[in-house]
Amino acid sequence: MRSLSTILVTGGAGFIGSNFIHWLFAQPEFTGRVINLDALTYAGNLENLADIEARYGKGAEASGAVPRYVFVQGDICDRPLVERLFAEYGVDTVVHFAAESHVDRSILGPEAFVRTNVLGTYTLLDVARQAWRAPSGGMREDVLFHHVSTDEVFGSLGEEGYFTESTPYDPRSPYSASKAASDHLAKAYHHTYGLPLTLSNCSNNYGPYQFPEKLIPLMILNMLEGKPLPVYGDGRNIRDWLYVEDHNEAVWTIMRNGQSGRTYNIGGENEWENIRLLERLIELVAEEAHLDIARLRGLITYVKDRPGHDRRYAIDCTRLKTELGWRQRISFDEGLRKTIRWYLDHREWVEHVRSGAYRAWIEQNYARRV
Ligand code: NAD
Ligand code: TYD
């Protein structure tokens, strides 16, 4: 029986990780503890978790309670640190989100991707393997390593077909190649050492706290600021979009009930050509922000394509639905409206992440207390 009580979340200050921590603490059945290990790269921001820190963090000590949320600023490649966290907190579960995650950045500078995504994942797996040895010599059975990955490891689809769990890997960007390597290492640790492991490959996420370099937040903010809306190539590349809360529920469902050694695809069953998505987003932003739709349409600008741009991603998530009973809950329009409203209400957050000013905010509000 999995314990799922002391959970090391890596990359918990990033987009999906911070949404996951919020989501998890909102689940009545979760009574455990989260240790959030994050290096706070450009993509990690502790403002995302200020409410969690206030409610479950160190402040709780004053009232005599053990804090249920602990933040540690650090690198997943730092083996002594990871070993210390396992020993000090008695980590029984890892959910591994930390990564370099943006394809365009991986094209400009692949090294950080290899380091964090490959070496960092290896470090976590290897520390887990050693920390979770059973006295009998095998592996403890009450532990779990959940590795969070992407559908991009499967490569690019043509007009037909879907990625299933048995689709051969065919990564084509430095980002997806580094994630593919991390997936292979994770599976190897299960097969070779018996590490209790589940793995998920998810399609494109969107929602609050996403760094405004990714398509949806970038387009929303450029519309609000009257800036060009850069569409790569012919705009006809297709992605399968999933609201981040649906991803988090899927991850937790797999962590609770997924079979060890098994991979689960997670998807929105919601394919959009980029240009069609942008047209819909323009309609919704015009409504939500009371902007002139013709002016927004006029901002669409076709730009040079991304090198090696994958044409189409589409996930078949039948396994997750039939075996574990998961379903998407948030429709695309509903998710996009929530996301637009969030960005409208969090202009200061946007300023901070863009300028790096959030680092000063962390200094003032947080870091000295960590
Ligand atoms: P993100 O870039 O928003 O956040 C990554 C987080 O990891 C940041 O907080 C960053 O500070 C942290 N980090 C980076 N390097 C680190 C290191 N060496 N040590 C410790 N922390 C480090 O990414 P995201 O979009 O939240 O993605 C999270 C995970 O989900 C990734 O593994 C990604 O591959 C996967 N994924 C993302 C999507 C998507 O659409 N965003 C889809 C499928 C899978
Ligand atoms: P992105 O959000 O970077 O996710 P990924 O490349 O991991 O799927 O991009 C989503 C799609 O949008 C992808 O086909 C590239 C395209 N795109 C643009 O057309 N313009 C942009 O400015 C960005 C960031 C992406």
Side-chain angles (χ1 to χ4, degrees):
M1 192 51 188
R2 285 171 196 153
S3 165
L4 303 177
S5 65
T6 304
I7 305 185
L8 177 66
V9 177
T10 69
F15 162 49
I16 304 177
S18 60
N19 275 287
F20 179 79
I21 292 173
H22 278 113
W23 186 89
L24 188 58
F25 275 109
Q27 305 310 304
E29 86 256 13
F30 178 66
T31 53
R33 215 171 175 203
V34 165
I35 317 300
N36 174 12
L37 172 61
D38 195 299
L40 300 181
T41 68
Y42 78 96
N45 181 0
L46 282 184
E47 276 174 281
N48 301 359
L49 292 158
D51 53 340
I52 295 288
E53 171 63 33
R55 186 140 180 222
Y56 302 105
K58 286 198 167 174
E61 268 171 340
S63 59
V66 177
R68 291 181 59 206
Y69 171 76
V70 178
F71 173 73
V72 179
Q73 179 170 5
D75 189 332
I76 57 168
C77 301
D78 181 347
R79 185 176 184 119
L81 171 65
V82 177
E83 284 173 345
R84 180 171 72 72
L85 296 181
F86 269 75
E88 190 173 328
Y89 294 103
V91 169
D92 56 45
T93 309
V94 175
V95 52
H96 175 32
F97 293 100
E100 288 292 337
S101 69
H102 189 42
V103 175
D104 292 329
R105 281 182 191 256
S106 82
I107 295 168
L108 293 170
E111 191 173 328
F113 287 72
V114 175
R115 188 178 172 280
T116 286
N117 300 359
V118 186
L119 186 61
T121 302
Y122 153 74
T123 305
L124 292 166
L125 288 164
D126 206 56
V127 172
R129 165 175 85 92
Q130 297 203 327
W132 290 344
R133 278 211 189 104
S136 60
M139 280 283 160
R140 279 169 55 185
E141 286 177 3
D142 60 339
V143 293
L144 182 74
F145 192 113
H146 182 79
H147 180 61
V148 177
S149 192
T150 164
D151 61 354
E152 303 192 26
V153 296
F154 298 122
S156 181
L157 290 165
E159 283 182 16
E160 302 284 309
Y162 295 91
F163 298 135
T164 70
E165 287 82 356
S166 52
T167 302
Y169 276 32
D170 182 24
R172 293 148 49 97
S173 73
Y175 165 63
S176 54
S178 66
K179 289 296 291 187
S182 71
D183 291 13
H184 289 315
L185 278 169
K187 290 181 199 185
Y189 269 68
H190 173 75
H191 290 296
T192 309
Y193 305 112
L195 186 78
L197 176 104
T198 46
L199 193 153
S200 52
N201 294 95
C202 189
S203 63
N204 286 62
N205 282 219
Y206 68 101
Y209 303 111
Q210 189 166 30
F211 194 84
E213 63 187 351
K214 305 273 168 65
L215 181 74
I216 289 180
L218 179 94
M219 293 297 182
I220 294 172
L221 293 171
N222 283 12
M223 285 182 220
L224 299 180
E225 292 161 9
K227 292 185 186 158
L229 308 175
V231 177
Y232 295 169
D234 64 4
R236 308 215 30 212
N237 300 65
I238 294 175
R239 298 292 182 264
D240 172 7
W241 293 94
L242 181 70
Y243 191 64
V244 63
E245 267 181 26
D246 281 334
H247 183 186
N248 289 329
E249 186 173 0
V251 166
W252 185 237
T253 303
I254 296 165
M255 289 168 69
R256 291 180 76 194
N257 301 320
Q259 194 182 313
S260 181
R262 207 151 169 76
T263 288
Y264 297 87
N265 278 357
I266 310 172
E269 299 178 298
N270 178 39
E271 288 180 55
W272 287 75
E273 276 185 355
N274 291 338
I275 187 65
R276 297 278 96 75
L277 187 164
L278 184 55
E279 283 162 3
R280 184 67 191 133
L281 195 56
I282 284 174
E283 289 167 0
L284 296 175
V285 170
E287 272 179 44
E288 294 290 338
H290 311 291
L291 293 173
D292 179 52
I293 195 161
R295 203 175 64 83
L296 294 184
R297 286 186 180 130
L299 297 174
I300 295 176
T301 310
Y302 286 88
V303 299
K304 190 164 170 283
D305 207 355
R306 169 189 282 172
H309 194 174
D310 288 341
R311 194 64 176 169
R312 173 171 167 254
Y313 302 145
I315 279 276
D316 176 340
C317 52
T318 309
R319 173 180 288 177
L320 180 59
K321 290 177 126 179
T322 55
E323 291 183 12
L324 303 185
W326 172 85
R327 293 268 173 287
Q328 307 89 349
R329 293 180 194 272
I330 313 280
S331 74
F332 201 34
D333 267 16
E334 190 187 348
L336 287 177
R337 281 190 197 278
K338 277 173 179 258
T339 307
I340 295 164
R341 284 187 211 126
W342 191 87
Y343 282 92
L344 277 169
D345 292 344
H346 290 80
R347 301 308 294 273
E348 197 178 306
W349 180 94
V350 172
E351 283 314 308
H352 285 179
V353 299
R354 274 181 177 163
S355 65
Y358 69 93
R359 295 193 183 284
W361 183 94
I362 290 165
E363 270 298 304
Q364 278 171 9
N365 291 279
Y366 198 96
R368 285 191 206 93
R369 292 191 283 120
V370 180

